[in-house]
Amino acid sequence: MADPATVRTDARRHHDPQIRGFASDNYAGVHPEILAAVALANGGHQVAYGEDDYTGHLQRVMHSHFGPTAEAFPVFNGTGANVVALQALTDRWGAVICAESAHINVDEGGAPERVGGLKLLTVPTPDGKLTPELIDRQAFGWDDEHRAMPQVVSITQNTELGTVYTPHEIRAICDHAHERGMKVHLDGARIANAAASLDVPMRTFTNTVGVDVLSFGGTKNGALFGEAVVVLDPDSVRAMKHLRKLSMQLASKMRFVSVQLEALLAGDLWLRNARHANAMAQRLAEGVRAVDGVEILHPVQANAVFARLPHEVTERLQKRFRFYFWDEKAGDVRWMCAFDTREDDVDAFVLALKEEMARQR
């Protein structure tokens, strides 16, 4: 095999690596330690479709975080993880209760319903979080053949509004769901940010409190690509391998997904990245609070800041930094921080916001 240092490439850089925005943690690049891990896994032949040494070792790493019964099924992306997980937890006639703002309802193009064949039963929430009382708005009609049967409660940690469930809140949801014969899925696209915010191990608010299946996120925390469905209760699912394949989420060269998750989880990289992103969101929130006319909408508990400001200010500011409207009609925006967000990036953004607000007055 050729020395990587001497390998020719015709690729050219097409972007300025100094430019950072606040649109999404998906905009960030790949953490150098993860790129190094991918290179480490390269070379030679390894068995395809998950029978490689790296995927085997990933199982042991997952055990250290989620206990000896946890089994990880690496997949390509978060939508794939959610669709596979929810299919594994439901029958053909089953339904999933989730927050109205949940990613599976708002941002996955109908994939759970169109690809997974599921019915989503949504509940409005003020802060993105479900409660036993909110769940009961949809948890009924199990014997009614005219209604999709509620079989799963899906929660997101942290939520789409940047809020974080406490372990006690998740335990209450799991107990409530299990008492009614339902299972619990946790969408953990930003699970590391939630653990960093709570300052507890990930098991504290997953398998320890009764979560059955977890979608574990890596991409938003510095990975190149790749997530995993982590089965925490083996009795809660069936035919996971078959579901992953027919959902087009089975990677042939799976070692390159698994080694990224290993790089995150074998040490503390997952936590370092999340803590930094959260800290940058706190810095951003502190700066924004000092700007007259800008309202922060939700508690800043992870790596997201939601705010409301004049529409004209947002449009001008978007020409200087990338970010998105959350609710354009209301003037609500979302600012995301990532593992590579710098203090200087935050300070420059706050200064630009102050300048644009001053122009508005």
Side-chain angles (χ1 to χ4, degrees):
M1 179 181 174
D3 182 348
T6 64
V7 172
R8 173 185 169 182
T9 176
D10 291 324
R12 296 290 183 268
R13 175 168 278 163
H14 299 289
H15 78 292
D16 182 351
Q18 297 304 311
I19 293 178
R20 290 171 174 80
F22 295 87
S24 173
D25 34 13
N26 286 324
Y27 277 42
V30 183
H31 193 282
E33 292 179 38
I34 294 179
L35 279 178
V38 172
L40 184 70
N42 198 26
H45 286 202
Q46 279 273 287
V47 184
Y49 301 112
E51 299 299 319
D52 60 276
D53 292 338
Y54 294 91
T55 303
H57 184 68
L58 176 64
Q59 303 303 327
R60 296 189 288 275
V61 173
M62 285 293 184
H63 292 166
S64 70
H65 287 278
F66 300 107
T69 63
E71 185 175 6
F73 296 83
V75 296
F76 289 113
N77 53 51
T79 296
N82 287 336
V83 170
V84 171
L86 293 174
Q87 283 181 289
L89 291 168
T90 54
D91 295 308
R92 284 283 295 161
W93 52 87
V96 177
I97 299 173
C98 64
E100 192 174 66
S101 59
H103 200 273
I104 58 174
N105 183 52
V106 176
D107 290 306
E108 295 187 347
E113 295 176 315
R114 295 170 65 88
V115 177
L118 306 166
K119 173 65 177 176
L120 299 182
L121 303 174
T122 64
V123 182
T125 64
D127 56 1
K129 298 199 291 186
L130 289 176
T131 64
E133 294 74 22
L134 290 173
I135 289 168
D136 279 347
R137 294 185 182 182
Q138 292 284 12
F140 63 90
W142 287 277
D143 293 326
D144 183 355
E145 67 267 35
H146 302 290
R147 188 172 194 267
M149 181 186 293
Q151 292 186 318
V152 177
V153 174
S154 180
I155 62 175
T156 310
Q157 176 77 318
N158 43 270
T159 74
E160 294 304 305
L161 301 182
T163 52
V164 174
Y165 287 94
T166 67
H168 176 76
E169 289 172 329
I170 296 180
R171 180 183 291 277
I173 288 171
C174 291
D175 289 347
H176 193 74
H178 292 156
E179 287 170 2
R180 284 152 180 76
M182 298 185 292
K183 299 165 186 174
V184 178
H185 163 256
L186 189 146
D187 180 350
R190 296 185 176 94
I191 188 173
N193 300 94
S197 176
L198 294 167
D199 196 24
V200 298
M202 290 181 287
R203 70 174 70 89
T204 305
F205 56 85
T206 53
N207 53 303
T208 298
V209 295
V211 172
D212 297 296
V213 175
L214 160 71
S215 296
F216 181 88
T219 307
K220 291 178 170 64
N221 199 30
L224 175 62
F225 66 91
E227 325 284 300
V229 177
V230 184
V231 176
L232 303 174
D233 177 11
D235 295 330
S236 67
V237 303
R238 54 191 175 174
M240 273 295 306
K241 288 185 177 180
H242 297 278
L243 287 171
R244 179 174 57 178
K245 175 66 175 181
L246 69 85
S247 299
M248 298 174 286
Q249 289 293 317
L250 179 64
S252 57
K253 297 183 180 181
M254 196 180 294
R255 59 171 150 161
F256 297 110
V257 181
S258 298
V259 75
Q260 293 181 71
L261 299 177
E262 178 190 352
L264 280 171
L265 292 169
D268 67 346
L269 180 59
W270 68 277
L271 190 55
R272 281 187 280 131
N273 284 353
R275 281 177 172 166
H276 177 80
N278 289 3
M280 292 301 97
Q282 288 295 334
R283 186 183 185 92
L284 176 58
E286 290 170 8
V288 168
R289 287 191 183 100
V291 182
D292 289 339
V294 180
E295 176 188 1
I296 293 180
L297 300 174
H298 304 292
V300 180
Q301 297 178 328
N303 63 322
V305 178
F306 290 81
R308 181 172 296 159
L309 59 157
H311 197 282
E312 298 81 2
V313 171
T314 296
E315 290 185 327
R316 292 198 300 269
L317 195 58
Q318 285 176 326
K319 295 176 181 178
R320 302 172 67 172
F321 292 88
R322 289 295 299 267
F323 64 92
Y324 294 117
F325 276 105
W326 186 255
D327 182 341
E328 186 169 1
K329 185 176 180 180
D332 299 349
V333 299
R334 185 189 74 167
W335 299 318
M336 297 296 302
C337 295
F339 79 89
D340 64 346
T341 303
R342 304 170 300 197
E343 291 184 358
D344 288 348
D345 301 325
V346 173
D347 296 344
F349 181 81
V350 172
L351 178 60
L353 175 61
K354 290 178 179 178
E355 291 172 351
E356 297 301 343
M357 286 297 293
R359 284 182 59 188
Q360 188 71 10
R361 290 191 292 272

